[in-house]
Amino acid sequence: MVEQSSSEQSTISRCGYVAIVGRPNVGKSTLMNRILGQKLSITSRRPQTTRHQILGIKTEQGTQAIYVDTPGLHKDGGKAINRYMNRAASSALRDVDIVIFIVDRDRWTDEDQAVLEKLQHSRLPVILAVNKTDRIDDKQSLLPQLEQLSEKMAFAEVIPLSAKHGHNVDLLEQQVLKRLPEGIHYFPEEQITDRSSRFLAAELVREKIMRQLGDELPYQITVEIEEFSHDGSVLHISALILVERDGQKRILIGNRGDRIKRIGQEARVDMERLFDTQVMLRLWVKIKRGWSDDERALRTLGYDDIG
């Protein structure tokens, strides 16, 4: 058998899908944004911020890793939107080549166990990413935790890291890249996501709402882009925010409209950075009762993208 030289190996084209899975609020979107070097998936401290599968595409030196950020797998499947998020997360395992299973450094929950049980039946190489290790003062105390986690499954690798600060994320990427299958690239080199600009704009508005309101507003909010058009050097975006009750609308608008104004200002700053142009953003709030538990309403609002 003739071995390939390092120069020959470096010219091999590799491409594959990498699912980032885990329970809600464990750092999946933060990790993907860190890998891509820019903000693509929205983040907040609230669980279940991510509702859709989002592809983040990184092409570098002959390799293309297509990361799939997924909603957190969770036990509350009562409402239609919760069932949708669980389906979106589970379906990501069907057609990927590698899985990154991200967990918290010192907390193992029933939802972590549920994710693990799905992975044990997948027959895919699973890299365990133990997140938020930057918060541990005594690094020696981490070793027993890593050993304990390693016993739960035959992981391809176990990597302690900090998605927020980037510690060991380069090591994680190395382990991913060497496991990508050989093949042609699926996307152009400059493309970073499969999502439309309208989708990304809606997600940025939703992120600012979740960050501004914290626990004041339940999950029954969604954002629909009604206008997305260029007028010279200005991008005009009109976003409709849907809530389910009158009280939610009042909370969202705030005293004399101060809260909705703040949400719009913060979203516009991120949009201008993302789209690299001046943005004129207009926000409206409308009541649509029961949308989050209505399968038909969810489909019309874009919650129908699971393959």
Side-chain angles (χ1 to χ4, degrees):
M1 181 177 176
V2 179
E3 291 187 4
Q4 292 174 311
S5 67
S6 58
S7 61
E8 287 175 323
Q9 289 176 340
S10 65
T11 61
I12 293 174
S13 177
R14 295 182 180 275
C15 183
Y17 285 83
V18 186
I20 304 175
V21 302
R23 62 174 166 82
N25 210 29
V26 79
K28 298 180 296 298
S29 297
T30 301
L31 177 61
M32 189 168 85
N33 290 341
R34 171 65 64 175
I35 289 171
L36 297 177
Q38 69 180 86
K39 183 171 189 167
L40 189 62
S41 286
I42 66 170
T43 61
S44 81
R45 293 182 179 179
R46 299 201 68 191
Q48 300 173 31
T49 300
T50 299
R51 290 178 177 173
H52 303 264
Q53 287 182 16
I54 300 175
L55 298 192
I57 306 159
K58 186 168 184 177
T59 307
E60 207 171 58
Q61 297 179 345
T63 63
Q64 185 171 86
I66 306 160
Y67 292 92
V68 188
D69 186 19
T70 63
L73 280 159
H74 56 284
K75 289 191 167 185
D76 179 14
K79 286 201 168 188
I81 191 168
N82 297 106
R83 295 194 296 273
Y84 166 85
M85 287 190 284
N86 274 337
R87 290 198 306 271
S90 297
S91 69
L93 299 176
R94 288 203 303 256
D95 301 308
V96 298
D97 303 288
I98 305 165
V99 176
I100 298 172
F101 176 24
I102 185 165
V103 300
D104 203 307
R105 71 199 184 283
D106 59 358
R107 189 167 161 240
W108 183 268
T109 70
D110 289 344
E111 289 177 325
D112 291 310
Q113 184 65 32
V115 178
L116 178 72
E117 289 170 5
K118 283 184 179 293
L119 295 177
Q120 287 171 332
H121 298 292
S122 70
R123 298 184 180 179
L124 292 166
V126 178
I127 299 173
L128 182 68
V130 185
N131 195 24
K132 305 177 185 178
T133 56
D134 55 298
R135 299 181 184 177
I136 298 177
D137 294 326
D138 179 13
K139 300 302 181 185
Q140 292 298 317
S141 67
L142 181 61
L143 295 176
Q145 295 173 29
L146 295 179
E147 290 176 3
Q148 191 174 16
L149 288 169
S150 298
E151 295 171 357
K152 293 183 181 291
M153 179 179 165
F155 294 108
E157 296 287 342
V158 178
I159 301 176
L161 54 78
S162 168
K164 182 178 181 180
H165 298 289
H167 175 67
N168 267 358
V169 172
D170 56 343
L171 177 59
L172 173 66
E173 286 192 79
Q174 290 170 22
Q175 294 300 323
V176 166
L177 294 181
K178 76 179 188 180
R179 289 178 170 83
L180 290 177
E182 294 182 20
I184 60 171
H185 294 178
Y186 300 141
F187 296 94
E189 184 174 347
E190 66 279 1
Q191 188 170 345
I192 63 164
T193 186
D194 65 328
R195 290 294 185 171
S196 69
S197 296
R198 295 174 74 103
F199 173 87
L200 297 175
E203 286 288 271
L204 285 175
V205 173
R206 193 165 63 83
E207 177 191 67
K208 302 313 174 190
I209 294 170
M210 297 187 79
R211 289 189 171 192
Q212 278 277 340
L213 296 176
D215 295 327
E216 290 184 68
L217 198 67
Y219 292 104
Q220 289 87 5
I221 59 163
T222 194
V223 180
E224 190 174 16
I225 300 299
E226 295 194 315
E227 179 192 9
F228 193 97
S229 62
H230 287 273
D231 178 13
S233 60
V234 180
L235 176 58
H236 292 267
I237 300 175
S238 297
L240 179 64
I241 304 168
L242 297 179
V243 296
E244 295 197 331
R245 295 193 294 274
D246 295 332
Q248 295 170 354
K249 182 176 180 178
R250 287 194 296 271
I251 291 172
L252 188 53
I253 292 173
N255 184 32
R256 297 183 179 178
D258 60 338
R259 180 167 276 157
I260 195 72
K261 183 179 179 181
R262 260 196 326 271
I263 289 167
Q265 288 171 339
E266 292 182 6
R268 181 179 55 78
V269 169
D270 274 9
M271 287 177 187
E272 291 184 337
R273 186 180 299 120
L274 178 63
F275 301 129
D276 194 25
T277 189
Q278 183 180 348
V279 172
M280 179 69 70
L281 175 64
R282 302 174 186 85
L283 301 180
W284 284 272
V285 184
K286 179 181 176 182
I287 299 168
K288 187 177 179 68
R289 302 188 189 279
W291 72 264
S292 66
D293 201 21
D294 184 334
E295 297 277 2
R296 182 179 297 177
L298 287 171
R299 285 193 294 272
T300 64
L301 291 168
Y303 294 86
D304 59 351
D305 52 3
I306 300 173

